[in-house]
Amino acid sequence: MKPLQIAPSILTADFGSLADEIRSVEAYVDWFHLDVMDGHYVDNLTFGPSTVAAIDKVTDLPLHVHLMISDPAKFAPVFVDAGADRISFHPEVVDDTHAVIEIIKKAGAGAGIAVHPDIEIDVVKEHLDDVQVVLMMTVRPGFGGQKFLNDVVPKISQAAQLVQESGKSADIDIEVDGGINLETVDGAVAAGGQIFVAGSAIFDGVDAPGAARRLRERLDRVGKGSE
């Protein structure tokens, strides 16, 4: 079993003290998850490549940029240049999923497919030879702080099974994004999740390092129980 990992989403962090926020949780986490929204694919705007570049300067941890945008092929290379180590996108917004994956890989990052709660898991089947991560959305994309959608848990299991059957278990991570906290993470682990995106559960405006430490301890216990 792969080690279970945490990827805090900075969406709910204090952007006025973003460097301090990031440094405060580094000891407990494995990635940083950066949600880029364009006001077209989702009804929200977040940040662009300059913010990714700024974050890349203050942490040595890898950055996973989740493009919730309508033209990932155009903008993915810009975010790779800014410091993204992985880029995930939503295949329903593009005409040629494989071509976008190749653009991301050619730019120098690992590619991922993000699966919207309303999209069938079959969307990833033909691309398992080319991606590093399958990002399972357990909220509807667009805003932080949403509740975990339990209806998506069986799809996490389906994604994990597809990866296992493909023989790519060592190469592909199952990442779970949305509503992850101390109450929901156990079920996501049991379903086959390996990397867990937590936004408001960590950057809660009260005690981010304490929240990150508690989630780390919880995952360590759950991971040992699954061995």
Side-chain angles (χ1 to χ4, degrees):
M1 179 178 176
K2 291 181 181 177
L4 302 177
Q5 300 183 61
I6 301 173
S9 168
I10 68 162
L11 203 58
T12 57
D14 179 357
F15 273 61
S17 305
L18 190 54
D20 291 338
E21 290 265 76
I22 287 169
R23 293 185 182 114
S24 76
V25 303
E26 278 184 311
Y28 307 107
V29 307
D30 307 280
W31 292 78
F32 283 101
H33 188 90
L34 313 182
D35 291 305
V36 174
M37 307 179 195
D38 65 355
H40 296 281
Y41 174 65
V42 294
D43 293 330
N44 196 11
L45 289 167
T46 54
F47 50 81
S50 60
T51 300
V52 176
I55 293 169
D56 190 47
K57 290 179 181 178
V58 301
T59 183
D60 291 328
L61 292 180
L63 307 181
H64 182 176
V65 172
H66 176 192
L67 295 180
M68 288 175 264
I69 67 177
S70 59
D71 194 352
K74 178 179 179 180
F75 291 101
V78 181
F79 283 98
V80 176
D81 288 343
D85 297 281
R86 281 182 176 173
I87 291 189
S88 291
F89 68 98
H90 289 262
E92 64 269 24
V93 304
V94 303
D95 295 325
D96 188 338
T97 299
H98 179 73
V100 179
I101 291 171
E102 289 303 308
I103 287 170
I104 294 169
K105 290 168 63 179
K106 185 177 180 181
I113 291 179
V115 183
H116 188 288
D118 299 331
I119 300 294
E120 295 300 320
I121 192 62
D122 289 351
V123 71
V124 307
K125 274 186 178 180
E126 63 187 274
H127 305 291
L128 292 176
D129 286 337
D130 301 306
V131 298
Q132 287 187 354
V133 60
V134 177
L135 182 64
M136 300 300 300
M137 297 296 297
T138 42
V139 297
R140 286 180 172 79
F143 295 90
Q146 298 182 62
K147 291 184 178 180
F148 183 88
L149 295 174
N150 285 296
D151 291 348
V152 181
V153 171
K155 285 174 64 177
I156 300 172
S157 298
Q158 292 169 17
Q161 184 175 357
L162 283 176
V163 170
Q164 184 175 16
E165 291 173 350
S166 74
K168 296 288 184 177
S169 296
D171 304 315
I172 301 174
D173 295 317
I174 304 295
E175 188 161 347
V176 182
D177 180 5
I180 290 293
N181 54 42
L182 294 174
E183 286 71 45
T184 59
V185 73
D186 290 29
V189 172
Q194 297 161 330
I195 303 176
F196 302 92
V197 178
S200 56
I202 289 181
F203 292 119
D204 57 3
V206 179
D207 180 14
R213 175 181 52 78
R214 288 187 289 273
L215 186 57
R216 174 80 277 156
E217 291 170 349
R218 182 58 167 264
L219 279 179
D220 288 347
R221 288 197 298 271
V222 173
K224 288 178 181 177
S226 302
E227 291 176 352

